[in-house]
Amino acid sequence: MLDCRTIYYKNGQKECEESDHGKEITKWYENGQKKSKQSEDWYGSKIITKWYEDGNKKYEESDRGRKFTKWYENGQKEHEESDRGGSIDKWYKDGTKKYTEHESRTGDVDITEWHANGTKKYVKFLKRGMITNSIREVSWDSRGRITSELESEDINESSFSWKTLSFSGSLIKNVVIVITAPFWIPIFIFFILLSWAIRFIEFILTDL
């Protein structure tokens, strides 16, 4: 027999029902509409579901696949995210797509964002490689005009890495090249110069 504890509103409507054995908690609004439900299976996975007072689903989260979904009060899906697939999707209240993000198993990332009128607002592509990481970003205004662009590339080798960036906005375009090196490179060069200096001094002393 289940060990349950039940709580009621003053009007006699059930407010909360809890089952320790079944690891399940259910709550209701005062009008009798289900408010939330939390359950846990024998493996410890939890599922949480919440509803608006009018009966439309509000929120759902599951440990299985680490996925959660959120809805607007009008029933339109607002946010959906899954860690297993590495994906995030968002919508405006009218159902227009707002944002999407996907990460592949190799770490590549694609991000797209839209204005409320349906035109693209922003895109980002991140490509990861064994040697090269490249990024491309573009932004648009609500009329579909490009407001900025950014392209970058990281090339990592055993000794040096360098990055090339290009940015354009309105009528301006700049190209920036940044060169970096691991911290041990300056030290290595210092000892080479020191070695040459010692050899030069030894050469001078020998002639004397």
Side-chain angles (χ1 to χ4, degrees):
M1 185 175 181
L2 297 179
D3 180 16
C4 296
R5 185 169 65 92
T6 305
I7 300 174
Y8 295 86
Y9 289 103
K10 291 182 180 180
N11 63 3
Q13 169 59 46
K14 191 180 291 184
E15 179 181 358
C16 178
E17 188 173 64
E18 181 179 344
S19 170
D20 292 332
H21 179 74
K23 297 181 180 181
E24 183 175 290
I25 300 174
T26 305
K27 295 181 180 180
W28 291 264
Y29 289 101
E30 196 167 358
N31 63 3
Q33 175 59 48
K34 192 177 288 185
K35 184 178 184 179
S36 66
K37 182 178 180 179
Q38 179 176 323
S39 60
E40 182 178 337
D41 61 22
W42 294 103
Y43 301 99
S45 297
K46 293 181 180 180
I47 299 176
I48 301 173
T49 308
K50 296 180 181 180
W51 292 267
Y52 288 101
E53 196 166 357
D54 62 0
N56 284 331
K57 193 175 284 189
K58 181 179 183 180
Y59 179 88
E60 188 172 68
E61 180 179 359
S62 174
D63 286 350
R64 297 178 182 177
R66 285 178 266 176
K67 178 180 179 181
F68 81 85
T69 307
K70 186 178 180 181
W71 288 265
Y72 289 104
E73 196 167 358
N74 64 0
Q76 172 59 47
K77 194 178 290 186
E78 179 183 0
H79 188 121
E80 189 170 61
E81 186 169 342
S82 174
D83 288 347
R84 177 177 292 179
S87 62
I88 300 174
D89 291 285
K90 298 179 183 179
W91 293 265
Y92 288 100
K93 201 169 185 177
D94 63 357
T96 304
K97 199 67 175 287
K98 183 179 183 180
Y99 179 93
T100 183
E101 179 178 338
H102 177 74
E103 182 175 354
S104 69
R105 294 182 180 180
T106 59
D108 297 342
V109 178
D110 290 344
I111 297 174
T112 305
E113 190 174 354
W114 290 267
H115 290 282
N117 63 2
T119 61
K120 277 187 180 179
K121 181 179 182 181
Y122 172 79
V123 295
K124 178 179 180 180
F125 303 102
L126 169 61
K127 180 73 174 179
R128 300 184 189 276
M130 295 294 293
I131 298 177
T132 304
N133 297 327
S134 59
I135 299 175
R136 183 171 187 269
E137 296 178 82
V138 184
S139 297
W140 294 266
D141 62 19
S142 59
R143 295 183 180 181
R145 297 174 299 187
I146 294 177
T147 57
S148 66
E149 290 183 83
L150 171 66
E151 292 187 14
S152 66
E153 186 175 44
D154 289 319
I155 303 176
N156 301 304
E157 295 182 347
S158 58
S159 56
F160 290 92
S161 64
W162 60 92
K163 178 182 289 186
T164 304
L165 302 173
S166 64
F167 171 81
S168 65
S170 299
L171 299 176
I172 302 174
K173 186 171 184 179
N174 300 313
V175 177
V176 180
I177 299 177
V178 181
I179 300 177
T180 59
F183 72 93
W184 54 268
I185 294 295
I187 299 175
F188 178 72
I189 294 174
F190 170 77
F191 280 108
I192 290 178
L193 295 176
L194 180 62
S195 175
W196 288 351
I198 293 173
R199 290 183 181 181
F200 179 74
I201 294 172
E202 289 178 348
F203 175 77
I204 296 297
L205 293 176
T206 301
D207 287 345
L208 296 176

